[in-house]
Amino acid sequence: MKIGIIGLPQVGKKTFFKALTKYPLTEKDLISDKPIKGAAEIKDGRFDKLVCMYNPKKQVRAKVEIELLPKIEKDSFSQDGIFKDIAELNAICHVVRCFHDESVYHVAGSVDPQRDIDNINSEIILHDMLFIEKRLERIEKNLKKIKDEKAVKEKELLGKLKQHLDKGLPVRMLGLENEEKAVISSYPFLTLKKMLIVLNISEKDLLNDALCRDIQKRYESCDLYLMTACAKVESEIVSLETEQERAQFLSALGIERPAIYVLTQLCIKALDLLSFFTVGHDEVRQWTVPCGSYAPQAAGAIHTDLEKGFIRAEVIKYNDLISLGSEIKVKEAGKAYLKGKDYIVEDGDLLEIRFNV
């Protein structure tokens, strides 16, 4: 599962990518027309509290794959390469410039986040519409030769999608049935992917959420995640060497935590993942699995042998552990549960897998 960062030139994409992944971008990377691959640790306050509680010898955060796509120029969409890169992603993170700085040019000549969001969304919608038109032409041509019930149903579905896209709405909002999703599962519909928009603001606007509220209201019908962050500030936070320095820096700015913490959590949501934990004095580790995963699938994320030999899972809810203070007290309160293969893992679960291979 991977999320890709897209955006116009000079909007802060590389800065966010470096802050997320700690990837040392080289001159070769900067001129490359290929996606740059990295991984970001998920910043989760629950993990931090579990580490404090267990004081383990080893601590391992979950990670999410991040790709930095080439900058989007005026002719990028006509060349089709950007669409192929986006099609390989599971979700999209669009970085939008909101800061004003005369020393940093804007490809459109002025700073207008609403315009930039609309332009990118329109190009992505147009891509899907063109694909549908080509596919419909092929289906209609084949139907003239031979009647095919499967093709007739696909034609009806594509007509339904086209009507939706004509309204300027992404396919992900349509609420398709599982059977319909199966029909289009191999098609490169970009608007089917979850979208996360990061508004790159100036430092002076860090405590001003008016812009975020206005844009959120405008796009609330588009089923996307939206947040504000200052790439310059995030870069400075990452460069600080100690937690104490970072805490003092955040305090001076009047903010509780780096925006990167929020961004990694939204990446998880956009990828439709949830977190669970395995804990002990040897190791505290965070894992991610797709939402709706059953206990054996979660066991398989830890090790394939655990899924093959799965017997049951002992489940403790994170909030129960924190409120009661220890595993012993959770068990005394009767809040440690044994679950079988049909248990659907919930976000924040602490799991201990019982298995036999």
Side-chain angles (χ1 to χ4, degrees):
M1 302 292 283
K2 58 187 176 183
I3 188 166
I5 298 176
I6 67 169
L8 299 171
Q10 302 293 325
V11 298
K13 302 182 303 297
K14 294 186 291 292
T15 305
F16 279 120
F17 179 75
K18 287 193 289 184
L20 278 165
T21 65
K22 312 296 190 297
Y23 185 96
L25 290 170
T26 64
E27 287 297 323
K28 185 178 179 181
D29 291 326
L30 297 178
I31 61 173
S32 172
D33 60 352
K34 303 292 184 184
I36 301 167
K37 302 177 188 295
E41 286 189 340
I42 304 304
K43 305 299 184 181
D44 192 320
R46 297 172 301 181
F47 177 85
D48 299 328
K49 286 186 178 180
L50 291 171
V51 167
C52 289
M53 180 177 286
Y54 286 90
N55 191 25
K57 297 174 185 175
K58 185 179 179 182
Q59 49 182 282
V60 184
R61 292 183 185 272
K63 291 186 177 182
V64 60
E65 287 187 52
I66 307 281
E67 287 194 5
L68 175 62
L69 270 59
K71 60 186 176 183
I72 297 176
E73 303 279 13
K74 287 185 178 180
D75 60 348
S76 295
F77 291 110
S78 62
Q79 294 174 353
D80 201 43
I82 187 68
F83 292 128
K84 291 179 180 177
D85 291 334
I86 295 174
E88 295 294 319
L89 304 171
N90 300 101
I92 304 165
C93 175
H94 179 194
V95 178
V96 180
R97 177 174 169 181
C98 298
F99 66 88
H100 292 266
D101 186 338
E102 292 183 2
S103 66
V104 181
Y105 83 95
H106 191 292
V107 68
S110 63
V111 176
D112 186 339
Q114 183 176 307
R115 175 201 60 209
D116 295 345
I117 294 171
D118 286 343
N119 286 346
I120 296 294
N121 286 351
S122 295
E123 292 289 352
I124 292 174
I125 287 173
L126 180 60
H127 166 274
D128 287 358
M129 291 180 70
L130 290 174
F131 174 82
I132 288 176
E133 288 175 5
K134 290 178 182 178
R135 181 63 186 163
L136 283 172
E137 285 177 10
R138 189 176 303 171
I139 291 173
E140 287 168 359
K141 185 177 180 181
N142 291 336
L143 284 174
K144 288 178 181 178
K145 298 176 183 177
I146 184 170
K147 275 291 182 183
D148 182 344
E149 190 64 31
K150 187 176 178 182
V152 171
K153 287 184 177 180
E154 182 183 351
K155 180 183 174 181
E156 291 174 356
L157 174 58
L158 291 176
K160 175 181 172 181
L161 298 182
K162 187 175 183 301
Q163 280 187 332
H164 185 74
L165 289 165
D166 279 338
K167 298 174 185 175
L169 299 173
V171 174
R172 62 179 175 271
M173 291 186 59
L174 197 51
L176 298 172
E177 300 292 335
N178 289 334
E179 185 179 341
E180 294 174 318
K181 289 178 182 177
V183 172
I184 65 170
S185 61
S186 62
Y187 294 160
F189 286 125
L190 305 186
T191 64
L192 194 57
K193 302 177 188 296
K194 290 289 182 69
M195 173 78 79
L196 163 60
I197 292 179
V198 179
L199 304 174
N200 187 8
I201 59 176
S202 62
E203 185 176 331
K204 66 181 179 62
D205 289 325
L206 277 173
L207 302 180
N208 180 9
D209 64 352
L211 175 65
C212 189
R213 286 201 312 271
D214 289 345
I215 293 183
Q216 185 81 61
K217 185 176 181 180
R218 174 174 173 77
Y219 297 101
E220 62 186 357
S221 64
C222 294
D223 186 26
L224 52 77
Y225 301 97
L226 191 143
M227 65 170 288
T228 58
C230 176
K232 181 181 177 183
V233 167
E234 296 304 311
S235 180
E236 291 178 28
I237 293 171
V238 170
S239 69
L240 297 173
E241 295 183 357
T242 67
E243 283 296 331
Q244 183 178 2
E245 288 178 309
R246 284 189 279 271
Q248 290 173 346
F249 184 74
L250 291 170
S251 178
L253 291 172
I255 54 180
E256 292 184 12
R257 56 181 178 171
I260 292 300
Y261 279 47
V262 180
L263 181 52
T264 57
Q265 288 295 316
L266 287 180
C267 286
I268 287 291
K269 287 184 178 180
L271 291 169
D272 201 26
L273 300 174
L274 60 80
S275 294
F276 72 91
F277 304 93
T278 52
V279 297
H281 294 296
D282 287 331
E283 179 184 85
V284 169
R285 185 183 288 251
Q286 180 183 19
W287 309 84
T288 59
V289 290
C291 292
S293 293
Y294 289 94
Q297 293 172 289
I302 301 171
H303 197 285
T304 53
D305 284 350
L306 272 66
E307 183 173 9
K308 291 175 184 175
F310 181 89
I311 300 173
R312 63 180 66 89
E314 182 175 299
V315 181
I316 292 177
K317 300 298 179 183
Y318 171 82
N319 287 337
D320 289 338
L321 179 65
I322 297 303
S323 62
L324 294 171
S326 71
E327 287 186 39
I328 293 174
K329 289 183 178 178
V330 169
K331 291 174 181 177
E332 288 175 350
K335 292 191 174 184
Y337 311 101
L338 289 178
K339 299 291 184 179
K341 293 181 179 181
D342 60 346
Y343 175 69
I344 297 176
V345 178
E346 296 180 355
D347 188 56
D349 278 352
L350 279 69
L351 300 183
E352 182 176 337
I353 306 300
R354 299 183 184 181
F355 70 106
N356 182 34
V357 176

